[in-house]
Amino acid sequence: MYTEVSIDLKTDFYSRYGETTGQLFFERTGMPCVLMDSGSHMLAFSMGCGVRAYGRNCGDVLRIMNSDSNVCYVHFTDSGMGAQILYKQDLQNIDGMKETVDYTVDKLLHRMHRGRSIAQPGGVVAICDRYGSNGYCAYVSHSTARQIPLPLSDVNVMLIRTGKKRLRTDTESIKHFRSSETRRIIAAAEALRECRIEVLFDMVNESERTIEMLFSPPRESVAAIRIAMETDGVFAARICKSGIICFVQKGRTDNAVHSIASEYERRMESPAGIVIVK
């Protein structure tokens, strides 16, 4: 999927670090998308967008550069254990991106047999990378992660970005939400093992209704949800950390993007960023 942009990144790598001899290594990690999380249970997967990185062993200094900002991290290493790394983010200013960058760089350093790294693999990024990619979903139950099918061959995943306003929460509401969310996650996981994706959509929609009832989301988020669910081809929509996650029929995705964007701007008098992430 990312052949052309990966070639561009490789060209950028050589323009910054020079075309000297030495093996060039590549790593890519998808951004984590948490569908539902109750604390004890979670369903999540790796998006099609994320972080790509090239690296080459070189000298005594570890140099890690962001191709978008030109910010370079420099770290002195043991003799002969240096490296040159260039990475690129597919999306900017999104929750979880820093963790995804750190994890990708760490994976690349391990691939390059470098003894030191700037991050430790772990958390939701690592779980999604191991269990929730290439057509699968990561199902976590009491700290045990498993891989279950996520049959989205006829479905695109859309992210609507409306701003960074947070949900208003309180202890009692969180307790009620987590209890019902655990039930929804278990039901969705059991259905996904049989590739019944429609049950996941039902649970995602029910989870969203519970969020709205307990946490009074920002009006921008609620408007985006309403508009998405009124749009032909959209199966499910839910507030997540990065915005509004939507599941939409592939054949109707283009029309859905146009309809949601124009209707949101009409109602809210401000644009909404829409990105297809899977």
Side-chain angles (χ1 to χ4, degrees):
M1 181 182 295
Y2 288 97
T3 302
E4 292 183 5
V5 288
S6 295
I7 290 173
D8 290 341
L9 183 61
K10 181 188 290 188
T11 302
D12 193 11
F13 180 95
Y14 286 131
S15 69
R16 294 170 190 267
Y17 290 123
E19 294 192 38
T20 58
T21 57
Q23 182 179 357
L24 192 63
F25 297 84
F26 176 77
E27 276 292 352
R28 179 194 165 276
T29 306
M31 276 285 299
C33 176
V34 178
L35 295 174
M36 292 185 284
D37 184 6
S38 68
S40 62
H41 291 70
M42 181 178 70
L43 281 176
F45 70 94
S46 287
M47 299 182 189
C49 59
V51 177
R52 290 164 288 114
Y54 279 101
R56 178 174 61 195
N57 295 330
C58 181
D60 302 332
V61 179
L62 175 62
R63 300 181 187 276
I64 302 171
M65 185 176 291
N66 182 343
S67 68
D68 296 309
S69 68
N70 293 320
V71 172
C72 186
Y73 173 90
V74 178
H75 180 77
F76 293 96
T77 67
D78 297 332
S79 179
M81 295 297 289
Q84 299 166 330
I85 291 175
L86 182 70
Y87 71 86
K88 185 175 181 61
Q89 306 162 102
D90 295 321
L91 293 176
Q92 304 296 323
N93 303 318
I94 188 169
D95 283 348
M97 183 57 77
K98 182 183 183 303
E99 292 81 3
T100 306
V101 169
D102 291 346
Y103 178 79
T104 305
V105 169
D106 194 79
K107 273 206 312 181
L108 184 59
L109 287 168
H110 278 86
R111 178 181 288 274
M112 295 163 62
H113 305 293
R114 300 290 82 175
R116 303 176 69 172
S117 63
I118 64 166
Q120 293 299 318
V124 68
V125 181
I127 290 171
C128 289
D129 187 50
R130 181 174 180 183
Y131 298 100
S133 58
N134 299 319
Y136 289 91
C137 184
Y139 171 49
V140 180
S141 173
H142 300 291
S143 300
T144 299
R146 302 178 182 87
Q147 189 179 64
I148 57 177
L150 185 64
L152 295 177
S153 57
D154 296 323
V155 179
N156 278 326
V157 182
M158 176 193 305
L159 184 65
I160 307 173
R161 304 174 71 182
T162 61
K164 291 205 169 206
K165 294 182 180 178
R166 301 292 182 179
L167 298 175
R168 289 176 288 177
T169 62
D170 61 80
T171 303
E172 196 62 28
S173 295
I174 292 172
K175 180 180 177 180
H176 284 303
F177 176 76
R178 286 181 171 176
S179 176
S180 62
E181 192 79 340
T182 295
R183 172 187 58 79
R184 288 187 286 269
I185 292 170
I186 292 172
E190 290 176 352
L192 286 175
R193 289 191 179 97
E194 300 174 359
C195 293
R196 293 188 290 131
I197 191 68
E198 69 280 359
V199 177
L200 172 65
F201 297 157
D202 289 343
M203 294 301 101
V204 166
N205 287 330
E206 184 181 317
S207 177
E208 172 57 31
R209 290 191 292 270
T210 306
I211 288 172
E212 293 184 30
M213 180 179 66
L214 293 175
F215 300 129
S216 300
R219 59 189 290 268
E220 295 87 350
S221 298
V222 174
I225 290 286
R226 296 287 182 273
I227 293 166
M229 292 306 296
E230 293 166 4
T231 302
D232 188 34
V234 174
F235 300 116
R238 182 186 183 276
I239 295 172
C240 66
K241 284 187 176 181
S242 303
I244 308 299
I245 199 78
C246 301
F247 296 89
V248 57
Q249 187 176 341
K250 275 191 175 179
R252 300 178 181 178
T253 301
D254 290 343
N255 288 336
V257 170
H258 175 74
S259 296
I260 293 170
S262 58
E263 183 62 18
Y264 183 88
E265 186 164 5
R266 186 188 71 80
R267 293 189 195 181
M268 306 305 295
E269 298 182 344
S270 63
I274 300 179
V275 183
I276 305 302
V277 295
K278 188 175 181 68

